[in-house]
Amino acid sequence: LTNINSGLLTVDQSLTVLQANPAAHGILGLHTGEVLGKSFADCIPGVDLKTAPMDREFDLKFDRDGEKRILSFSVSLLKDDRGNQQGRIVSFQDHTLLRALEKRLRQSEKMAAIGQLAAGIAHEIRNPLAGISGSIELLKTGDSDEAQSQKLMGIVSKEIDRLNNLITEFLDFAKPEAPLEDHIDIGVLLEETIQFLKNDPSTGDFQLEIEVEPKLMVLGNRDKLKQAFLNILVNGIQAMEKVDSPRLKLTVKKNGRYITEAIKDFGVGIKEELRERIFEPFHTTKHKGTGLGLAITHSIIEAHSAEITVNSEEGVGTEFKMQFKSMNPS
């Protein structure tokens, strides 16, 4: 404990500091022994040990002699050999430099993503513009009969709709995150989305297996989550276009402090070399797709502090699994 570079404090039940190693004094900018016998709140204001989480690390901005530092804390219970609680153990490290490097990395990744988006948009827009330009040039010659003119105008109208759809999806992907203020029953929302698809004649018929635990609540944005579910479900249905009996399996269940939602299709599956790219903007295997649907879905799920993973086997099917923080008590 004397030689490790992590700060370590032990406090009793009244939150008075009993022990502190040299690293703790160094990180806090104090002299050796200066924290002993003091209240923990006086040594590190901003951390309430009575309510501090025991199962995860957390960061705190700390003012050390006028210099802003970022400390990362971990708190655990201090027990005697009989298992009786005697206080708490607090370990911490100075992550100021690490957080600064992470911020630079995120900025670099953001700039790289902007470059990728710009290239993707330019590529996607160029194709419909070429169709529009070619059709207009033919119309300008005046050599077309009425039937051919109508056909050329139809191409122009179709390509304009394609451009409009692309811009709409791009704005959905790029717009600022919506506030998470709705209390959402995740199973009910999923079933509403399924009903919406069933009412759409273009979707076609498909069988459903549903296993949904009732009243599992999450905090989020209802419309955005519905859009994310819809994107995944539509992808699943399209993956089963050549399947004789298309089938979707939906499950929503509680797993400790989390809610796990899974949407599984029994379609063509995803090739192994493509699985890691499915959430990339403008990456698509569809003839008419923009490649933004699953990128938007990934962005929405991340905005809800949730995780999304994909398991797929070519020729067997694909499962999208999402894990949300539950609002339900354990």
Side-chain angles (χ1 to χ4, degrees):
L1 298 183
T2 300
N3 292 286
I4 62 173
N5 58 10
S6 295
L8 191 73
L9 299 175
T10 59
V11 299
D12 61 17
Q13 293 285 55
S14 64
L15 304 185
T16 300
V17 178
L18 302 176
Q19 294 174 314
N21 70 340
H25 289 91
I27 293 171
L28 298 176
L30 302 172
H31 298 296
T32 302
E34 193 172 345
V35 300
L36 299 180
K38 290 186 176 181
S39 168
F40 180 86
D42 293 337
C43 301
I44 309 179
V47 178
D48 185 352
L49 288 185
K50 292 181 179 179
T51 59
M54 299 284 178
D55 56 348
R56 62 179 174 85
E57 290 188 354
F58 59 94
D59 287 351
L60 171 75
K61 291 183 178 179
F62 181 76
D63 191 332
R64 189 177 74 184
D65 298 328
E67 183 183 8
K68 298 295 183 183
R69 313 297 296 177
I70 298 177
L71 306 185
S72 182
F73 287 85
S74 178
V75 181
S76 56
L77 294 176
L78 175 64
K79 298 180 180 180
D80 61 20
D81 54 2
R82 296 181 180 179
N84 298 317
Q85 184 176 327
Q86 299 296 317
R88 285 170 175 77
I89 302 172
V90 183
S91 62
F92 55 98
Q93 291 181 317
D94 189 335
H95 281 172
T96 307
L97 179 59
L98 178 62
R99 295 294 181 261
L101 291 173
E102 288 174 348
K103 186 176 181 180
R104 288 184 196 173
L105 178 60
R106 285 195 298 270
Q107 185 66 20
S108 297
E109 290 175 342
K110 187 184 297 184
M111 296 306 295
I114 289 172
Q116 183 184 9
L117 282 174
I121 290 172
H123 175 75
E124 291 292 333
I125 287 178
R126 188 177 289 119
N127 291 333
L129 283 180
I132 293 170
S133 176
S135 299
I136 291 175
E137 286 298 322
L138 287 172
L139 287 168
K140 283 169 62 177
T141 63
D143 296 334
S144 306
D145 57 26
E146 185 176 349
Q148 189 177 13
S149 295
Q150 288 295 324
K151 183 178 179 181
L152 291 171
M153 290 303 296
I155 291 173
V156 171
S157 178
K158 181 179 178 181
E159 295 300 332
I160 288 173
D161 288 341
R162 183 177 167 189
L163 280 173
N164 184 57
N165 183 56
L166 173 65
I167 297 302
T168 300
E169 288 201 354
F170 174 71
L171 289 174
D172 282 340
F173 177 71
K175 71 173 56 173
E177 297 173 0
L180 309 180
E181 301 173 339
D182 303 329
H183 291 201
I184 305 165
D185 186 322
I186 206 82
V188 170
L189 183 63
L190 184 59
E191 290 175 350
E192 286 178 4
T193 311
I194 283 290
Q195 192 59 48
F196 174 81
L197 282 173
K198 284 187 171 183
N199 294 337
D200 185 351
S202 65
T203 302
D205 294 328
F206 55 91
Q207 297 177 356
L208 270 177
E209 290 182 37
I210 301 180
E211 298 176 13
V212 175
E213 293 184 19
K215 297 182 180 179
L216 297 183
M217 308 298 294
V218 300
L219 182 67
N221 183 284
R222 185 179 184 84
D223 292 337
K224 286 291 185 181
L225 270 187
K226 189 171 184 178
Q227 181 184 6
F229 297 165
L230 187 62
N231 287 342
I232 295 173
L233 289 165
V234 168
N235 269 275
I237 291 169
Q238 291 175 346
M240 298 186 292
E241 286 179 347
K242 297 180 181 180
V243 175
D244 293 334
S245 300
R247 179 165 57 99
L248 286 174
K249 183 177 181 180
L250 314 177
T251 58
V252 179
K253 59 184 179 180
K254 190 128 184 302
N255 182 17
R257 296 187 299 112
Y258 296 94
I259 295 171
T260 301
E261 174 186 349
I263 299 175
K264 184 175 183 178
D265 68 66
F266 296 85
V268 295
I270 304 170
K271 293 180 180 179
E272 186 176 357
E273 61 269 22
L274 301 178
R275 287 172 202 162
E276 293 184 358
R277 300 188 58 199
I278 62 172
F279 294 122
E280 289 182 12
F282 301 109
H283 172 71
T284 182
T285 57
K286 301 174 188 175
H287 179 63
K288 297 182 180 180
T290 63
L292 283 172
L294 287 180
I296 292 170
T297 296
H298 189 270
S299 179
I300 291 172
I301 298 301
E302 278 201 334
H304 283 75
S305 299
E307 294 181 0
I308 180 169
T309 56
V310 183
N311 294 311
S312 184
E313 186 176 346
E314 198 172 355
V316 177
T318 301
E319 182 180 52
F320 286 83
K321 189 173 288 186
M322 291 153 280
Q323 192 171 66
F324 298 88
K325 291 180 181 177
S326 173
M327 292 182 65
N328 301 67
S330 299

